[in-house]
Amino acid sequence: MTVTQGGAPAQRPPASGTPAIAQVAYHDGEFVPLAQALLPVTTQALQYGTGVFEGIRAYAQDDGGLAVFRAHDHYRRLLRSCRTLRIDPGRTVEELCALTAELLRRIGTHEDTYIRPLAYKRALLPGQKPGVGLTGVSDALSVNAFRMGSYTDPAGIRCTISSWRRPSSDALPVRAKVTGGYVNNALAVDEARAAGCDDAILLNSRGQVAEASTSNVFAVVGGRLVTPPVTADLLEGITRDTAVTLAADLLDTPTDFRDLGRDELAGADEVFLTGTGSEIVPVTELAGRPVADGVPGPLTTALMGAYRNVVRGAEPRYGHWLHPVTA
């Protein structure tokens, strides 16, 4: 791995263009060509948003192998989401990890790959009345994957504060990754892009910072790392947990979990986002104003370097987070 003068690994340029979707998928209980992984227009999840999903990354390792990052944690969260919508995917965490590894082997990839498991309500069972519901409907599981490297700009992104509020947990199970709930995120991103920004930060119903469109939010305030608590109506990100752990273990920086207001965020020394897709990305402009000096801060930069080392297998103490895909 190339290392810069500042000690952090050199940045890979962000990927561009449409991700290359693998031509093999898991669907209807078997591995099939992607073209056969189709659903009818009558699918309940398509009509009512009654599906749950995960986004998981597999990373090319420094030793030439491929490993899925925190696969068990992702699948534990998927099964929790499934229970919320009464979906039975028919698989345990271990079986889902094994299924994913087998899918990657069949794809034959050794490159950075994004995995998308989707568990959903499919069709009314015989004798059931039509309409929206969670019982009397069959369940299904599909998993597909596509090649995807880092796509965010390591030099920083521009965020707006969305006019859309994050739904409260008494309106929607915000700690589950429910497909229908992501219309809120899509509206926020659409608004942000119309304003010339890369992403949106959503406030909750109390006017406190909740999360970005698909990421958790961190700030450095007075030398301390701050992120909103789970009671701020956010999804508990696995990359959020990774950042908290690495900051404490490797950078001797504990994290305060407390409410974060819009003004405090705007005045922070550093702001960054964490997510499986976005990884760790600095926010250098917020609502039309630079964050501090308008460049990635030292703690954000150090965390980005630590994260890259961990996901590539260069930090043996975190080897338990890597699920190898053996040939």
Side-chain angles (χ1 to χ4, degrees):
M1 178 178 294
T2 304
V3 176
T4 66
Q5 291 182 347
Q11 304 281 2
R12 299 183 181 189
S16 59
T18 303
I21 301 175
Q23 294 304 304
V24 180
Y26 178 83
H27 187 67
D28 281 344
E30 60 183 338
F31 295 97
V32 298
L34 181 67
Q36 296 181 21
L38 303 175
L39 287 170
V41 295
T42 54
T43 301
Q44 291 275 301
L46 179 63
Q47 301 191 25
Y48 302 123
T50 48
V52 299
F53 69 100
E54 276 295 319
I56 309 172
R57 276 186 179 269
Y59 285 97
Q61 300 296 285
D62 286 349
D63 63 4
L66 183 71
V68 184
F69 186 61
R70 301 195 68 167
H72 288 77
D73 293 315
H74 278 286
Y75 279 123
R76 276 192 280 268
R77 188 171 65 182
L78 180 75
L79 294 188
R80 288 197 299 271
S81 297
C82 283
R83 287 194 290 274
T84 300
L85 293 195
R86 300 185 184 277
I87 295 171
D88 179 9
R91 298 275 183 165
T92 66
V93 168
E94 289 297 335
E95 289 169 343
L96 289 164
C97 290
L99 184 158
T100 299
E102 177 61 22
L103 175 63
L104 294 174
R105 281 192 290 270
R106 290 178 182 240
I107 292 170
T109 181
H110 297 284
E111 300 180 79
D112 291 355
T113 303
Y114 191 86
I115 303 132
R116 171 51 53 84
L118 175 66
Y120 49 97
K121 291 294 182 184
R122 183 154 185 175
L124 289 172
L125 295 172
Q128 299 297 318
K129 295 179 180 178
V132 63
L134 299 177
T135 58
V137 185
S138 64
D139 303 320
L141 171 71
S142 299
V143 186
N144 74 288
F146 45 90
R147 187 176 68 240
M148 188 174 81
S150 297
Y151 61 79
T152 55
D153 189 346
I157 63 171
R158 305 169 64 206
C159 288
T160 186
I161 301 293
S162 180
S163 66
W164 295 96
R165 294 294 177 100
R166 173 77 171 161
S168 64
S169 57
D170 57 0
L172 195 73
V174 294
R175 294 169 73 176
K177 286 181 73 72
V178 177
T179 57
Y182 275 73
V183 67
N184 177 249
N185 309 62
L187 288 166
V189 169
D190 184 70
E191 181 183 66
R193 290 179 178 170
C197 293
D198 302 295
D199 203 350
I201 291 175
L202 291 90
L203 308 181
N204 59 27
S205 59
R206 295 181 286 108
Q208 302 293 314
V209 173
E211 62 180 27
S213 65
T214 56
S215 309
N216 292 119
V217 180
F218 283 80
V220 178
V221 181
R224 298 187 67 85
L225 193 57
V226 180
T227 195
V230 294
T231 51
D233 294 327
L234 54 84
L235 179 75
E236 293 178 81
I238 290 167
T239 311
R240 172 180 181 264
D241 178 72
T242 301
V244 169
T245 302
L246 298 184
D249 290 356
L250 304 180
L251 305 176
D252 196 27
T253 303
T255 300
D256 295 336
F257 299 91
R258 62 170 176 80
D259 281 334
L260 189 60
R262 173 178 180 159
D263 288 348
E264 189 176 19
L265 186 68
D269 301 315
E270 303 179 36
V271 176
F272 63 89
L273 308 181
T274 63
T276 298
S278 59
E279 301 172 300
I280 297 177
V281 57
V283 176
T284 51
E285 183 180 309
L286 180 65
R289 295 176 172 82
V291 175
D293 295 329
V295 296
L299 183 55
T300 306
T301 302
L303 266 177
M304 292 167 67
Y307 184 80
R308 280 192 298 274
N309 286 343
V310 168
V311 300
R312 302 286 175 194
E315 286 281 359
R317 66 190 291 187
Y318 301 105
H320 61 286
W321 280 346
L322 297 168
H323 187 89
V325 179
T326 55

mmCIF file with all atom_site columns, all heavy atoms in Angstrom, residues 276-300:
data_model
loop_
_atom_site.group_PDB
_atom_site.id
_atom_site.type_symbol
_atom_site.label_atom_id
_atom_site.label_alt_id
_atom_site.label_comp_id
_atom_site.label_asym_id
_atom_site.label_entity_id
_atom_site.label_seq_id
_atom_site.pdbx_PDB_ins_code
_atom_site.Cartn_x
_atom_site.Cartn_y
_atom_site.Cartn_z
_atom_site.occupancy
_atom_site.B_iso_or_equiv
_atom_site.pdbx_formal_charge
_atom_site.auth_seq_id
_atom_site.auth_comp_id
_atom_site.auth_asym_id
_atom_site.auth_atom_id
_atom_site.pdbx_PDB_model_num
ATOM 1   N N   . THR A 1 276 ? -21.766 2.128  4.768  1.00 0.00 ? 276 THR A N   1
ATOM 2   C CA  . THR A 1 276 ? -21.153 1.034  4.016  1.00 0.00 ? 276 THR A CA  1
ATOM 3   C C   . THR A 1 276 ? -20.803 1.482  2.605  1.00 0.00 ? 276 THR A C   1
ATOM 4   O O   . THR A 1 276 ? -19.718 1.196  2.102  1.00 0.00 ? 276 THR A O   1
ATOM 5   C CB  . THR A 1 276 ? -22.103 -0.169 3.974  1.00 0.00 ? 276 THR A CB  1
ATOM 6   O OG1 . THR A 1 276 ? -22.345 -0.631 5.311  1.00 0.00 ? 276 THR A OG1 1
ATOM 7   C CG2 . THR A 1 276 ? -21.502 -1.303 3.152  1.00 0.00 ? 276 THR A CG2 1
ATOM 8   N N   . GLY A 1 277 ? -21.732 2.177  1.959  1.00 0.00 ? 277 GLY A N   1
ATOM 9   C CA  . GLY A 1 277 ? -21.451 2.637  0.600  1.00 0.00 ? 277 GLY A CA  1
ATOM 10  C C   . GLY A 1 277 ? -20.462 3.773  0.569  1.00 0.00 ? 277 GLY A C   1
ATOM 11  O O   . GLY A 1 277 ? -19.460 3.733  -0.150 1.00 0.00 ? 277 GLY A O   1
ATOM 12  N N   . SER A 1 278 ? -20.714 4.791  1.361  1.00 0.00 ? 278 SER A N   1
ATOM 13  C CA  . SER A 1 278 ? -19.859 5.993  1.332  1.00 0.00 ? 278 SER A CA  1
ATOM 14  C C   . SER A 1 278 ? -18.571 5.815  2.103  1.00 0.00 ? 278 SER A C   1
ATOM 15  O O   . SER A 1 278 ? -17.664 6.644  1.998  1.00 0.00 ? 278 SER A O   1
ATOM 16  C CB  . SER A 1 278 ? -20.635 7.182  1.902  1.00 0.00 ? 278 SER A CB  1
ATOM 17  O OG  . SER A 1 278 ? -21.048 6.932  3.232  1.00 0.00 ? 278 SER A OG  1
ATOM 18  N N   . GLU A 1 279 ? -18.477 4.775  2.923  1.00 0.00 ? 279 GLU A N   1
ATOM 19  C CA  . GLU A 1 279 ? -17.323 4.504  3.794  1.00 0.00 ? 279 GLU A CA  1
ATOM 20  C C   . GLU A 1 279 ? -17.155 5.686  4.764  1.00 0.00 ? 279 GLU A C   1
ATOM 21  O O   . GLU A 1 279 ? -18.118 6.049  5.416  1.00 0.00 ? 279 GLU A O   1
ATOM 22  C CB  . GLU A 1 279 ? -16.083 4.233  2.930  1.00 0.00 ? 279 GLU A CB  1
ATOM 23  C CG  . GLU A 1 279 ? -16.318 3.020  1.999  1.00 0.00 ? 279 GLU A CG  1
ATOM 24  C CD  . GLU A 1 279 ? -15.219 2.808  0.996  1.00 0.00 ? 279 GLU A CD  1
ATOM 25  O OE1 . GLU A 1 279 ? -14.965 3.717  0.193  1.00 0.00 ? 279 GLU A OE1 1
ATOM 26  O OE2 . GLU A 1 279 ? -14.598 1.715  1.010  1.00 0.00 ? 279 GLU A OE2 1
ATOM 27  N N   . ILE A 1 280 ? -15.981 6.282  4.862  1.00 0.00 ? 280 ILE A N   1
ATOM 28  C CA  . ILE A 1 280 ? -15.790 7.467  5.694  1.00 0.00 ? 280 ILE A CA  1
ATOM 29  C C   . ILE A 1 280 ? -15.427 8.611  4.758  1.00 0.00 ? 280 ILE A C   1
ATOM 30  O O   . ILE A 1 280 ? -14.404 8.553  4.068  1.00 0.00 ? 280 ILE A O   1
ATOM 31  C CB  . ILE A 1 280 ? -14.699 7.257  6.756  1.00 0.00 ? 280 ILE A CB  1
ATOM 32  C CG1 . ILE A 1 280 ? -15.111 6.131  7.718  1.00 0.00 ? 280 ILE A CG1 1
ATOM 33  C CG2 . ILE A 1 280 ? -14.449 8.562  7.536  1.00 0.00 ? 280 ILE A CG2 1
ATOM 34  C CD1 . ILE A 1 280 ? -14.063 5.789  8.766  1.00 0.00 ? 280 ILE A CD1 1
ATOM 35  N N   . VAL A 1 281 ? -16.278 9.627  4.727  1.00 0.00 ? 281 VAL A N   1
ATOM 36  C CA  . VAL A 1 281 ? -16.064 10.705 3.760  1.00 0.00 ? 281 VAL A CA  1
ATOM 37  C C   . VAL A 1 281 ? -16.176 12.058 4.478  1.00 0.00 ? 281 VAL A C   1
ATOM 38  O O   . VAL A 1 281 ? -17.125 12.308 5.231  1.00 0.00 ? 281 VAL A O   1
ATOM 39  C CB  . VAL A 1 281 ? -17.066 10.603 2.588  1.00 0.00 ? 281 VAL A CB  1
ATOM 40  C CG1 . VAL A 1 281 ? -18.510 10.629 3.070  1.00 0.00 ? 281 VAL A CG1 1
ATOM 41  C CG2 . VAL A 1 281 ? -16.817 11.696 1.566  1.00 0.00 ? 281 VAL A CG2 1
ATOM 42  N N   . PRO A 1 282 ? -15.203 12.940 4.253  1.00 0.00 ? 282 PRO A N   1
ATOM 43  C CA  . PRO A 1 282 ? -15.275 14.250 4.901  1.00 0.00 ? 282 PRO A CA  1
ATOM 44  C C   . PRO A 1 282 ? -16.334 15.142 4.273  1.00 0.00 ? 282 PRO A C   1
ATOM 45  O O   . PRO A 1 282 ? -16.574 15.086 3.062  1.00 0.00 ? 282 PRO A O   1
ATOM 46  C CB  . PRO A 1 282 ? -13.871 14.837 4.683  1.00 0.00 ? 282 PRO A CB  1
ATOM 47  C CG  . PRO A 1 282 ? -13.211 13.999 3.668  1.00 0.00 ? 282 PRO A CG  1
ATOM 48  C CD  . PRO A 1 282 ? -13.995 12.755 3.463  1.00 0.00 ? 282 PRO A CD  1
ATOM 49  N N   . VAL A 1 283 ? -16.974 15.943 5.103  1.00 0.00 ? 283 VAL A N   1
ATOM 50  C CA  . VAL A 1 283 ? -17.881 16.993 4.624  1.00 0.00 ? 283 VAL A CA  1
ATOM 51  C C   . VAL A 1 283 ? -17.110 18.303 4.756  1.00 0.00 ? 283 VAL A C   1
ATOM 52  O O   . VAL A 1 283 ? -16.742 18.712 5.851  1.00 0.00 ? 283 VAL A O   1
ATOM 53  C CB  . VAL A 1 283 ? -19.176 17.044 5.453  1.00 0.00 ? 283 VAL A CB  1
ATOM 54  C CG1 . VAL A 1 283 ? -20.058 18.206 4.995  1.00 0.00 ? 283 VAL A CG1 1
ATOM 55  C CG2 . VAL A 1 283 ? -19.926 15.726 5.353  1.00 0.00 ? 283 VAL A CG2 1
ATOM 56  N N   . THR A 1 284 ? -16.860 18.946 3.650  1.00 0.00 ? 284 THR A N   1
ATOM 57  C CA  . THR A 1 284 ? -16.058 20.176 3.673  1.00 0.00 ? 284 THR A CA  1
ATOM 58  C C   . THR A 1 284 ? -16.900 21.423 3.443  1.00 0.00 ? 284 THR A C   1
ATOM 59  O O   . THR A 1 284 ? -16.399 22.537 3.570  1.00 0.00 ? 284 THR A O   1
ATOM 60  C CB  . THR A 1 284 ? -14.937 20.102 2.612  1.00 0.00 ? 284 THR A CB  1
ATOM 61  O OG1 . THR A 1 284 ? -15.513 19.738 1.357  1.00 0.00 ? 284 THR A OG1 1
ATOM 62  C CG2 . THR A 1 284 ? -13.890 19.074 3.013  1.00 0.00 ? 284 THR A CG2 1
ATOM 63  N N   . GLU A 1 285 ? -18.160 21.220 3.070  1.00 0.00 ? 285 GLU A N   1
ATOM 64  C CA  . GLU A 1 285 ? -19.070 22.356 2.925  1.00 0.00 ? 285 GLU A CA  1
ATOM 65  C C   . GLU A 1 285 ? -20.445 21.939 3.404  1.00 0.00 ? 285 GLU A C   1
ATOM 66  O O   . GLU A 1 285 ? -20.934 20.868 3.062  1.00 0.00 ? 285 GLU A O   1
ATOM 67  C CB  . GLU A 1 285 ? -19.139 22.829 1.472  1.00 0.00 ? 285 GLU A CB  1
ATOM 68  C CG  . GLU A 1 285 ? -20.019 24.075 1.298  1.00 0.00 ? 285 GLU A CG  1
ATOM 69  C CD  . GLU A 1 285 ? -20.080 24.532 -0.165 1.00 0.00 ? 285 GLU A CD  1
ATOM 70  O OE1 . GLU A 1 285 ? -19.011 24.689 -0.776 1.00 0.00 ? 285 GLU A OE1 1
ATOM 71  O OE2 . GLU A 1 285 ? -21.210 24.694 -0.668 1.00 0.00 ? 285 GLU A OE2 1
ATOM 72  N N   . LEU A 1 286 ? -21.051 22.798 4.212  1.00 0.00 ? 286 LEU A N   1
ATOM 73  C CA  . LEU A 1 286 ? -22.354 22.475 4.782  1.00 0.00 ? 286 LEU A CA  1
ATOM 74  C C   . LEU A 1 286 ? -23.278 23.674 4.612  1.00 0.00 ? 286 LEU A C   1
ATOM 75  O O   . LEU A 1 286 ? -22.983 24.774 5.098  1.00 0.00 ? 286 LEU A O   1
ATOM 76  C CB  . LEU A 1 286 ? -22.196 22.128 6.265  1.00 0.00 ? 286 LEU A CB  1
ATOM 77  C CG  . LEU A 1 286 ? -23.479 21.750 7.021  1.00 0.00 ? 286 LEU A CG  1
ATOM 78  C CD1 . LEU A 1 286 ? -24.071 20.465 6.470  1.00 0.00 ? 286 LEU A CD1 1
ATOM 79  C CD2 . LEU A 1 286 ? -23.174 21.589 8.505  1.00 0.00 ? 286 LEU A CD2 1
ATOM 80  N N   . ALA A 1 287 ? -24.378 23.450 3.927  1.00 0.00 ? 287 ALA A N   1
ATOM 81  C CA  . ALA A 1 287 ? -25.389 24.492 3.711  1.00 0.00 ? 287 ALA A CA  1
ATOM 82  C C   . ALA A 1 287 ? -24.769 25.769 3.151  1.00 0.00 ? 287 ALA A C   1
ATOM 83  O O   . ALA A 1 287 ? -25.099 26.888 3.586  1.00 0.00 ? 287 ALA A O   1
ATOM 84  C CB  . ALA A 1 287 ? -26.132 24.773 5.013  1.00 0.00 ? 287 ALA A CB  1
ATOM 85  N N   . GLY A 1 288 ? -23.847 25.612 2.210  1.00 0.00 ? 288 GLY A N   1
ATOM 86  C CA  . GLY A 1 288 ? -23.276 26.765 1.519  1.00 0.00 ? 288 GLY A CA  1
ATOM 87  C C   . GLY A 1 288 ? -22.110 27.435 2.223  1.00 0.00 ? 288 GLY A C   1
ATOM 88  O O   . GLY A 1 288 ? -21.605 28.459 1.736  1.00 0.00 ? 288 GLY A O   1
ATOM 89  N N   . ARG A 1 289 ? -21.668 26.863 3.341  1.00 0.00 ? 289 ARG A N   1
ATOM 90  C CA  . ARG A 1 289 ? -20.543 27.449 4.068  1.00 0.00 ? 289 ARG A CA  1
ATOM 91  C C   . ARG A 1 289 ? -19.480 26.383 4.293  1.00 0.00 ? 289 ARG A C   1
ATOM 92  O O   . ARG A 1 289 ? -19.799 25.212 4.493  1.00 0.00 ? 289 ARG A O   1
ATOM 93  C CB  . ARG A 1 289 ? -20.992 28.000 5.416  1.00 0.00 ? 289 ARG A CB  1
ATOM 94  C CG  . ARG A 1 289 ? -21.958 29.175 5.304  1.00 0.00 ? 289 ARG A CG  1
ATOM 95  C CD  . ARG A 1 289 ? -22.445 29.608 6.681  1.00 0.00 ? 289 ARG A CD  1
ATOM 96  N NE  . ARG A 1 289 ? -23.223 30.841 6.612  1.00 0.00 ? 289 ARG A NE  1
ATOM 97  C CZ  . ARG A 1 289 ? -24.503 30.897 6.280  1.00 0.00 ? 289 ARG A CZ  1
ATOM 98  N NH1 . ARG A 1 289 ? -25.141 29.766 5.960  1.00 0.00 ? 289 ARG A NH1 1
ATOM 99  N NH2 . ARG A 1 289 ? -25.145 32.046 6.242  1.00 0.00 ? 289 ARG A NH2 1
ATOM 100 N N   . PRO A 1 290 ? -18.200 26.784 4.271  1.00 0.00 ? 290 PRO A N   1
ATOM 101 C CA  . PRO A 1 290 ? -17.152 25.780 4.513  1.00 0.00 ? 290 PRO A CA  1
ATOM 102 C C   . PRO A 1 290 ? -17.201 25.274 5.947  1.00 0.00 ? 290 PRO A C   1
ATOM 103 O O   . PRO A 1 290 ? -17.539 26.019 6.873  1.00 0.00 ? 290 PRO A O   1
ATOM 104 C CB  . PRO A 1 290 ? -15.854 26.557 4.234  1.00 0.00 ? 290 PRO A CB  1
ATOM 105 C CG  . PRO A 1 290 ? -16.203 27.997 4.434  1.00 0.00 ? 290 PRO A CG  1
ATOM 106 C CD  . PRO A 1 290 ? -17.638 28.137 4.021  1.00 0.00 ? 290 PRO A CD  1
ATOM 107 N N   . VAL A 1 291 ? -16.874 23.998 6.106  1.00 0.00 ? 291 VAL A N   1
ATOM 108 C CA  . VAL A 1 291 ? -16.686 23.441 7.447  1.00 0.00 ? 291 VAL A CA  1
ATOM 109 C C   . VAL A 1 291 ? -15.262 23.762 7.865  1.00 0.00 ? 291 VAL A C   1
ATOM 110 O O   . VAL A 1 291 ? -14.298 23.313 7.224  1.00 0.00 ? 291 VAL A O   1
ATOM 111 C CB  . VAL A 1 291 ? -16.928 21.918 7.450  1.00 0.00 ? 291 VAL A CB  1
ATOM 112 C CG1 . VAL A 1 291 ? -16.602 21.339 8.829  1.00 0.00 ? 291 VAL A CG1 1
ATOM 113 C CG2 . VAL A 1 291 ? -18.375 21.602 7.069  1.00 0.00 ? 291 VAL A CG2 1
ATOM 114 N N   . ALA A 1 292 ? -15.111 24.569 8.896  1.00 0.00 ? 292 ALA A N   1
ATOM 115 C CA  . ALA A 1 292 ? -13.782 25.039 9.354  1.00 0.00 ? 292 ALA A CA  1
ATOM 116 C C   . ALA A 1 292 ? -13.018 25.635 8.179  1.00 0.00 ? 292 ALA A C   1
ATOM 117 O O   . ALA A 1 292 ? -13.488 26.598 7.579  1.00 0.00 ? 292 ALA A O   1
ATOM 118 C CB  . ALA A 1 292 ? -13.032 23.905 10.026 1.00 0.00 ? 292 ALA A CB  1
ATOM 119 N N   . ASP A 1 293 ? -11.868 25.041 7.799  1.00 0.00 ? 293 ASP A N   1
ATOM 120 C CA  . ASP A 1 293 ? -11.072 25.595 6.703  1.00 0.00 ? 293 ASP A CA  1
ATOM 121 C C   . ASP A 1 293 ? -11.497 25.080 5.332  1.00 0.00 ? 293 ASP A C   1
ATOM 122 O O   . ASP A 1 293 ? -10.867 25.392 4.317  1.00 0.00 ? 293 ASP A O   1
ATOM 123 C CB  . ASP A 1 293 ? -9.588  25.270 6.924  1.00 0.00 ? 293 ASP A CB  1
ATOM 124 C CG  . ASP A 1 293 ? -9.050  25.957 8.168  1.00 0.00 ? 293 ASP A CG  1
ATOM 125 O OD1 . ASP A 1 293 ? -9.535  27.055 8.509  1.00 0.00 ? 293 ASP A OD1 1
ATOM 126 O OD2 . ASP A 1 293 ? -8.144  25.378 8.818  1.00 0.00 ? 293 ASP A OD2 1
ATOM 127 N N   . GLY A 1 294 ? -12.516 24.251 5.309  1.00 0.00 ? 294 GLY A N   1
ATOM 128 C CA  . GLY A 1 294 ? -13.001 23.738 4.031  1.00 0.00 ? 294 GLY A CA  1
ATOM 129 C C   . GLY A 1 294 ? -12.171 22.610 3.452  1.00 0.00 ? 294 GLY A C   1
ATOM 130 O O   . GLY A 1 294 ? -12.277 22.315 2.247  1.00 0.00 ? 294 GLY A O   1
ATOM 131 N N   . VAL A 1 295 ? -11.377 21.957 4.293  1.00 0.00 ? 295 VAL A N   1
ATOM 132 C CA  . VAL A 1 295 ? -10.588 20.797 3.852  1.00 0.00 ? 295 VAL A CA  1
ATOM 133 C C   . VAL A 1 295 ? -10.763 19.690 4.889  1.00 0.00 ? 295 VAL A C   1
ATOM 134 O O   . VAL A 1 295 ? -11.138 19.961 6.039  1.00 0.00 ? 295 VAL A O   1
ATOM 135 C CB  . VAL A 1 295 ? -9.086  21.151 3.699  1.00 0.00 ? 295 VAL A CB  1
ATOM 136 C CG1 . VAL A 1 295 ? -8.900  22.194 2.603  1.00 0.00 ? 295 VAL A CG1 1
ATOM 137 C CG2 . VAL A 1 295 ? -8.505  21.640 5.015  1.00 0.00 ? 295 VAL A CG2 1
ATOM 138 N N   . PRO A 1 296 ? -10.503 18.434 4.527  1.00 0.00 ? 296 PRO A N   1
ATOM 139 C CA  . PRO A 1 296 ? -10.627 17.344 5.503  1.00 0.00 ? 296 PRO A CA  1
ATOM 140 C C   . PRO A 1 296 ? -9.744  17.597 6.724  1.00 0.00 ? 296 PRO A C   1
ATOM 141 O O   . PRO A 1 296 ? -8.577  17.968 6.598  1.00 0.00 ? 296 PRO A O   1
ATOM 142 C CB  . PRO A 1 296 ? -10.169 16.111 4.721  1.00 0.00 ? 296 PRO A CB  1
ATOM 143 C CG  . PRO A 1 296 ? -10.440 16.455 3.288  1.00 0.00 ? 296 PRO A CG  1
ATOM 144 C CD  . PRO A 1 296 ? -10.163 17.927 3.182  1.00 0.00 ? 296 PRO A CD  1
ATOM 145 N N   . GLY A 1 297 ? -10.300 17.403 7.907  1.00 0.00 ? 297 GLY A N   1
ATOM 146 C CA  . GLY A 1 297 ? -9.560  17.634 9.136  1.00 0.00 ? 297 GLY A CA  1
ATOM 147 C C   . GLY A 1 297 ? -8.654  16.470 9.502  1.00 0.00 ? 297 GLY A C   1
ATOM 148 O O   . GLY A 1 297 ? -8.748  15.383 8.930  1.00 0.00 ? 297 GLY A O   1
ATOM 149 N N   . PRO A 1 298 ? -7.775  16.661 10.488 1.00 0.00 ? 298 PRO A N   1
ATOM 150 C CA  . PRO A 1 298 ? -6.795  15.620 10.830 1.00 0.00 ? 298 PRO A CA  1
ATOM 151 C C   . PRO A 1 298 ? -7.412  14.342 11.397 1.00 0.00 ? 298 PRO A C   1
ATOM 152 O O   . PRO A 1 298 ? -6.941  13.246 11.083 1.00 0.00 ? 298 PRO A O   1
ATOM 153 C CB  . PRO A 1 298 ? -5.893  16.309 11.872 1.00 0.00 ? 298 PRO A CB  1
ATOM 154 C CG  . PRO A 1 298 ? -6.685  17.480 12.384 1.00 0.00 ? 298 PRO A CG  1
ATOM 155 C CD  . PRO A 1 298 ? -7.557  17.916 11.259 1.00 0.00 ? 298 PRO A CD  1
ATOM 156 N N   . LEU A 1 299 ? -8.465  14.462 12.212 1.00 0.00 ? 299 LEU A N   1
ATOM 157 C CA  . LEU A 1 299 ? -9.064  13.248 12.765 1.00 0.00 ? 299 LEU A CA  1
ATOM 158 C C   . LEU A 1 299 ? -9.790  12.472 11.672 1.00 0.00 ? 299 LEU A C   1
ATOM 159 O O   . LEU A 1 299 ? -9.696  11.241 11.597 1.00 0.00 ? 299 LEU A O   1
ATOM 160 C CB  . LEU A 1 299 ? -10.026 13.613 13.900 1.00 0.00 ? 299 LEU A CB  1
ATOM 161 C CG  . LEU A 1 299 ? -10.675 12.435 14.619 1.00 0.00 ? 299 LEU A CG  1
ATOM 162 C CD1 . LEU A 1 299 ? -9.625  11.461 15.139 1.00 0.00 ? 299 LEU A CD1 1
ATOM 163 C CD2 . LEU A 1 299 ? -11.561 12.925 15.764 1.00 0.00 ? 299 LEU A CD2 1
ATOM 164 N N   . THR A 1 300 ? -10.506 13.183 10.817 1.00 0.00 ? 300 THR A N   1
ATOM 165 C CA  . THR A 1 300 ? -11.193 12.513 9.701  1.00 0.00 ? 300 THR A CA  1
ATOM 166 C C   . THR A 1 300 ? -10.179 11.797 8.814  1.00 0.00 ? 300 THR A C   1
ATOM 167 O O   . THR A 1 300 ? -10.381 10.630 8.440  1.00 0.00 ? 300 THR A O   1
ATOM 168 C CB  . THR A 1 300 ? -11.962 13.548 8.864  1.00 0.00 ? 300 THR A CB  1
ATOM 169 O OG1 . THR A 1 300 ? -12.834 14.292 9.713  1.00 0.00 ? 300 THR A OG1 1
ATOM 170 C CG2 . THR A 1 300 ? -12.772 12.872 7.776  1.00 0.00 ? 300 THR A CG2 1
#
